[in-house]
Amino acid sequence: GKGKWNGFDERDMLLSYNALKVLEARYLLKNPDTLRYVETPQMMFRRVANFLAKVDTSYGKSEEEVKKIADKFYEIMSSLKFLPNTPTLMNSGTRLGVLSACFVLPVRDSMTTPEGEGIYDTLRAMALVHQQGGGTGFDFSELRPKGDVVASTAGVASGPISFMKIFDVSTDVVKQGGKRRGANMGIMHVWHPDVNDFIKAKTGQLKDAQLQNFNISVGIYDYFMKAVERDEEVPLVNPRKTRVPGSNWDSYMVKARGYMDEEYIQELILKELEEKDAVWLDESSVITLDEAMVIAEKEGAVTSKVNARVIFDEIVKGAWDSGDPGIVFIDEINRRHPINYIGKIQATNPCAEEPLLPWESCNLGSVNLEKFVIEKEGKAIIDWDSLADTIRYAVRMLDNVIDANRYPLKQIEEATKKTRKVGLGVMGFSRLLVRLGIPYDSVDALYVSYNLAKFVYYQAFHASIELAKEKGSFPAYDPVLYRDIFDTARSFNELLEVAKLKGEVSPSVKRLMERAESLDFSQLKGERMIKGLRNSTVMSIAPTGTISIISGTSSGIEPLFALAFIRNVAVGKFMEVDPLFLEYLKRYEMDDPEVVSKIAETGSVAENVFIPRTIRNVFRTAHEVAPEYHLLHQASWQQWNDSGVSKTINLKSEETPETVSKIYMMAWRLGVKGITVYRDKSKSQQVIYFGIKK
Ligand code: ADP
């Protein structure tokens, strides 16, 4: 940087105390023998920037050009405008070569398979991914249910959940480069006969006891939600018993639901018939659920029928009780998967922002939206040009990660390089709102969400098109079959209507977002057709758990958590105050220690009548925001996004299961790809408590 003085860099001044603590504990490189630090934060950013820019050498860039790119990468990171995900920061240029956070691994109903996709093959793959800092997601639905027969041993199958426990123990044992423990997503589709046990695997007495390294989610389909609405029965199906082409009942369903190009389906079926020596039982590839049922019953694959509402209520009860299980909406995921002609997505990564095909990995990175609020003529506005420029280099950097990555397994490398998924996300969204003076729980804020998402997506997609022109499209790109997600984005008004939310966007906010609102996507589509596309997905809203701390901003698109709180650490109690909040208090001459410590008792000011109304409105914390607003922000960011959104719908401790039920139903209608609720204090281990009064 410019301000170098005795090894001190002015860029270091941007880092908060907490940021330095985190960097020091996990990110800055140490000499393994002496354990002394061998780099400063700026050196870390340099290491990452240089390592990733070097990729461009192999695309014919000169040394000078590569240096320019490296400088730009350094610039956007050290100014805290953009940060890549943790593995990229930690591992770039080191012995550990995995730079991605998200992986999905297949689990076939066999101990081991030639393709390396059996249960114990996957266990091994998981350990290798965890060792280097990645998170893994699995769909366990292909495994035969508990009590089913095992032909080779004439024994009894122990079922998917017992295998999940082994994955869980392995996760405990394998620490990631000695730095953190791995994280998993376990998914079971709602038609599996063991689904009831699965739903209860982490609730009631098993809460805080079992599968502690797993988030669990039920894979839900439209047919199921319709059956819930109509109070109808749905079948439970043994995946081992169905002879339908495709690996199981599920791929049968996907064909039945008309996701794929019909010619392509025919081709697939023919191939499968050939390979598996199976019999296709229906003339047409596109069949209805009822028809599918008849066939499955004929095959003896339907083990029982259950009222959909009974299952749904159990899911709701579990989520209310402990936060698990969440839901992923398999149909919505596949409908809006831009390359659904490649295959069907069955699972997501641990925090569900990345639905991925088997063996795919994805690397993430997030722009810090707070940094793009500037003052003009005394008014806070968004610096669109700077944001667009940052996104352009961010996407280039994420794309380079794919080439710089050292993959733990060849299947992962192949799958990842075939589709080249990257996930650009955001952080600091709620702090951007504060700086703009807009309350999170307002129609204005939702409008900002919706249009910011549109802008970020537009720029990221555009960047990927330009990269394709320069470096070529992702190998699985097909200009005709590729599905543009902007063709299926719901309008802003549609979202409000579904949620039955009334209210007008204020004219000043309309003006503020004009630049994003008026973007033309049809032109972009034309460009894609001509120039190609470098990455099959470009966006993904990650939780940004640690990189938001390094950036000193709010995480992802979440509202603020607590304005002031007491942190208990080994050496004593410390009061922490949100610096933005403190700024506001100063403005009103309310920054006295007594006032602040009083606020720290609850962490919020919503009920505090002595605090000015402006402050009370703008500094609404997660539990004060009504669940509908949480959900609508998620739905807004989902519309302009080719992957998923990680979001927790935070609920007050006293909320009822009915609220959860309502939110889950609404989530489906709003077209989000997954949903997680967390009711305050519903788990014994909670990292942050709000305030000191419990
Ligand atoms: P960060 O801020 O550290 O870059 P995020 O909180 O945004 O990471 O999480 C992004 C993704 O990284 C998660 O969805 C998950 O796939 C992966 N991940 C996060 N924490 C862990 C962990 N402890 N172990 C493995 N993977 C993790």
Side-chain angles (χ1 to χ4, degrees), residues 566-630:
I566 312 285
R567 196 190 285 269
N568 281 310
V569 289
V571 289
K573 282 184 178 181
F574 290 92
M575 190 161 68
E576 283 194 34
V577 191
D578 184 306
L580 202 50
F581 179 60
L582 198 60
E583 247 176 62
Y584 263 71
L585 289 180
K586 274 191 188 139
R587 228 181 269 176
Y588 290 85
E589 295 187 15
M590 297 192 78
D591 55 327
D592 300 326
E594 302 94 89
V595 176
V596 178
S597 65
K598 203 79 193 145
I599 293 167
E601 284 180 9
T602 59
S604 101
V605 292
E607 313 274 325
N608 190 332
V609 291
F610 300 107
I611 299 288
R613 195 155 8 111
T614 312
I615 298 189
R616 273 192 280 153
N617 286 346
V618 167
F619 287 95
R620 220 45 80 73
T621 55
H623 290 90
E624 293 149 14
V625 169
E628 286 82 0
Y629 281 97
H630 278 279

Side-chain angles (χ1 to χ4, degrees), residues 26-27 83-90 100-103 129-130 132-137 171 176 179-184 215 348-354 362 364-366 427 541-550 555-556 646:
R26 292 193 193 152
Y27 293 75
L83 284 183
N85 59 202
T86 290
T88 306
L89 287 173
M90 276 185 186
S100 309
C102 310
F103 297 77
V129 172
H130 284 177
Q132 302 205 29
T136 39
T171 307
Q176 303 182 317
K179 285 175 179 161
R180 59 179 186 178
R181 193 170 286 159
N184 301 301
N215 289 327
T348 72
N349 73 318
C351 305
E353 71 273 18
E354 269 300 329
C362 182
L364 313 172
S366 298
M427 52 186 161
I541 308 296
T544 69
T546 29
I547 61 168
S548 67
I549 298 176
I550 298 172
S555 52
S646 166

